Amino acid sequence: MAQKIHIVLEDDLDGSEATETVSFGLDGTSYEIDLNDENASALRESLATYVGHARKVSGARRGGGRRSSGGSSTSANGSGGPTAKEVREWARENGYEVPDRGRVSAEVREAYDAAH
């Protein structure tokens, strides 16, 4: 006996027929919401400014969405690669201007990686 299952998505905001499920994350929690084209577009537009200034995180992040500010002898990505201090020292020796604290730019990290 054959069965045919028909799934109908309902827009979680206004109850109309949804056209897609939108996934997003905030503060370490992943969410999904079923939306029609108009509401999905409105959600993307409202997040566009923040997404444009954010950095992508690849892979699943574990242990919540906030990082501690405590020091560590390993890199921020946990891979055991170079520390920010090591990259800063190399960058200064090679003519790059880098801040004493905070993130090292992607440009400097890429140059460091290419040299090592």
Side-chain angles (χ1 to χ4, degrees):
M1 175 196 253
Q3 291 184 355
K4 186 175 183 180
I5 299 172
H6 183 74
I7 297 174
V8 177
L9 294 178
E10 183 177 297
D11 188 296
D12 292 323
L13 293 181
D14 63 17
S16 66
E17 185 175 337
T19 55
E20 64 181 300
T21 300
V22 179
S23 300
F24 62 98
L26 182 64
D27 294 336
T29 303
S30 297
Y31 299 91
E32 286 187 342
I33 187 169
D34 299 327
L35 299 171
N36 62 34
D37 290 337
E38 183 180 335
N39 287 334
S41 179
L43 174 60
R44 289 185 176 102
E45 286 175 21
S46 63
L47 294 174
T49 300
Y50 300 99
V51 170
H53 287 81
R55 59 190 169 273
K56 274 190 174 180
V57 177
S58 60
R61 206 165 165 190
R62 298 180 188 253
R66 302 195 187 264
R67 288 185 256 176
S68 70
S69 59
S72 172
S73 62
T74 61
S75 68
N77 65 13
S79 68
T83 64
K85 180 180 178 184
E86 293 169 331
V87 174
R88 280 190 187 88
E89 288 172 0
W90 175 88
R92 288 185 183 113
E93 291 170 1
N94 289 277
Y96 290 90
E97 289 185 31
V98 291
D100 292 332
R101 299 177 64 180
R103 289 183 46 202
V104 176
S105 72
E107 175 189 354
V108 172
R109 284 246 179 221
E110 288 170 6
Y112 177 91
D113 290 342
H116 292 88

